[in-house]
Amino acid sequence: MSSEIAREGTFWLHSVLLGMAVTLVYDFLRIFRRVFPHGIFWISIEDLIYWCVVAGSFFFPVISGK
């Protein structure tokens, strides 16, 4: 197997695992919101933090060259 195909397979696996992790974390966030209801302001802050972390986790490997 060529190294290019191995890299593509690794990239695919990381993408799938990261997608699963992002989904799981957001599900926990949704459960937290149902257990401890709060206003739209705090929901917006939580979403902003969540999406900043998600964007960083998706784009950090691209920036760092890994």
Side-chain angles (χ1 to χ4, degrees):
M1 176 168 34
S2 74
S3 64
E4 182 66 29
I5 293 174
R7 266 192 303 192
E8 291 290 330
T10 302
F11 177 76
W12 179 81
L13 181 62
H14 286 171
S15 298
V16 169
L17 293 176
L18 189 57
M20 291 169 60
V22 164
T23 302
L24 183 67
V25 170
Y26 197 76
D27 283 344
F28 282 127
L29 183 59
R30 289 176 47 212
I31 291 168
F32 174 76
R33 288 177 182 168
R34 287 181 187 245
V35 172
F36 303 106
H38 41 283
I40 192 72
F41 175 77
W42 289 111
I43 291 174
S44 299
I45 296 297
E46 291 167 358
D47 279 345
L48 178 65
I49 292 169
Y50 171 80
W51 285 112
C52 287
V53 170
V54 167
S57 66
F58 274 99
F59 290 115
F60 179 72
V62 174
I63 294 170
S64 66
K66 292 183 179 180

